[in-house]
Amino acid sequence: MELKISMFLTVCPLVFLAGFVDAIAGGGGMISLPAYLISGVPVHMALGTNKMSSMIGTFVSTARFVKNGFVDWALAIPSMVAAIIGSFLGANLALFVSDTVLKWVLLIVLPFLAIYIFRNRTFEAGTRFSMSRKQVLCWGTVISLGIGCFDGFYGPGTGTFLLILYTSVLGLSVKTASGNVKLVNLSSNVAAFTTFLLHGQIALVLGGVAALFSIAGHYLGSGMVMKNGAKIVRPIILVVMTLLYIKIIYEMIG
């Protein structure tokens, strides 16, 4: 594939924005993947190159959360394994079931989630459920398996859904939930990146340059979460979910 200056001018600013949003509330792929496609990168190569830049950026935001102690490792390790297994199952399920079914489900569920988040002024306070530590670990693994399956089957919104469930069901603080979400997403990204790389579907130069902008976006975004917590996360989640809703309607009409 021949690289053009216009590709870099289109991709890099949008990848920065995607990294910033993704570090805060997930859903950055809804911005970065279209950026590659708009710039003229072929579909499969766009998927692979997007994984490269997002993986590197996610590594940076993950490292910031880990460094500052915002990771529950006892929960993170089984969640990472469960998410990878779920992603594999979801990808295989997609071969047999139309994603139209899932899109209809999301069209119904997303407005209720948005209302919950909008009304939940104490987002930082977390769960309304009383759980023992063992139950938190158990349900965390189940949630990660289910959302990992969603990631493999469809993809967009994975980090956002994980963040909502980690805070509202498991009772993690926004900061710790964000750190755990990043570890789960990073695991999934590494697996996907390896697959695309082995099949030669990555524009390494474009992906490498875009990764620098992704790093900057993730670094600033993760800093915003650690500084402002729920104050910045809640509105960004609502924006991401709105974009996802629009994306689903657009795909179904198209």
Side-chain angles (χ1 to χ4, degrees):
M1 183 189 72
E2 181 183 356
L3 294 178
K4 302 176 182 178
I5 296 297
S6 60
M7 289 181 172
F8 292 89
L9 294 176
T10 301
V11 168
C12 292
L14 290 174
V15 165
F16 168 81
L17 177 61
F20 181 80
V21 170
D22 198 65
I24 295 172
M30 286 185 283
I31 300 172
S32 59
L33 181 56
Y36 284 103
L37 295 172
I38 291 170
S39 72
V41 180
V43 176
H44 289 94
M45 188 163 286
L47 289 169
T49 310
N50 180 56
K51 284 296 180 185
M52 176 183 176
S53 58
S54 63
M55 176 191 70
I56 295 173
T58 301
F59 178 82
V60 171
S61 58
T62 303
R64 287 201 78 181
F65 283 111
V66 171
K67 180 181 178 181
N68 286 275
F70 296 127
V71 173
D72 183 337
W73 285 105
L75 175 62
I77 293 174
S79 295
M80 291 163 67
V81 174
I84 292 173
I85 294 173
S87 182
F88 175 77
L89 294 174
N92 281 276
L93 182 63
L95 298 175
F96 301 99
V97 181
S98 171
D99 66 347
T100 302
V101 176
L102 179 60
K103 289 175 181 177
W104 274 111
V105 173
L106 289 174
L107 285 177
I108 297 171
V109 172
L110 283 174
F112 289 98
L113 283 175
I115 292 172
Y116 166 78
I117 295 167
F118 182 79
R119 296 186 63 180
N120 184 11
R121 300 293 179 182
T122 56
F123 196 73
E124 183 74 48
T127 186
R128 248 60 60 195
F129 303 98
S130 179
M131 287 189 185
S132 66
R133 178 60 174 168
K134 185 178 293 185
Q135 288 175 318
V136 168
L137 297 179
C138 179
W139 277 109
T141 303
V142 171
I143 287 170
S144 300
L145 178 67
I147 299 299
C149 188
F150 168 80
D151 189 27
F153 188 89
Y154 183 62
T158 297
T160 306
F161 290 137
L162 278 173
L163 186 58
I164 292 171
L165 292 171
Y166 280 0
T167 53
S168 63
V169 177
L170 303 184
L172 300 182
S173 70
V174 169
K175 297 172 184 178
T176 301
S178 296
N180 279 54
V181 167
K182 290 294 165 284
L183 280 169
V184 171
N185 276 347
L186 182 60
S187 301
S188 178
N189 282 341
V190 169
F193 166 75
T194 303
T195 301
F196 282 110
L197 182 63
L198 291 175
H199 287 81
Q201 294 295 335
I202 295 179
L204 293 173
V205 175
L206 178 60
V209 174
L212 298 177
F213 287 81
S214 181
I215 287 172
H218 273 272
Y219 186 86
L220 292 175
S222 58
M224 291 284 285
V225 174
M226 288 185 282
K227 181 179 179 180
N228 297 303
K231 291 181 180 179
I232 186 68
V233 168
R234 286 180 67 253
I236 294 295
I237 282 183
L238 289 171
V239 170
V240 169
M241 291 178 67
T242 301
L243 291 175
L244 178 57
Y245 202 82
I246 294 171
K247 173 181 170 60
I248 292 170
I249 294 176
Y250 176 79
E251 288 177 346
M252 294 183 74
I253 293 175

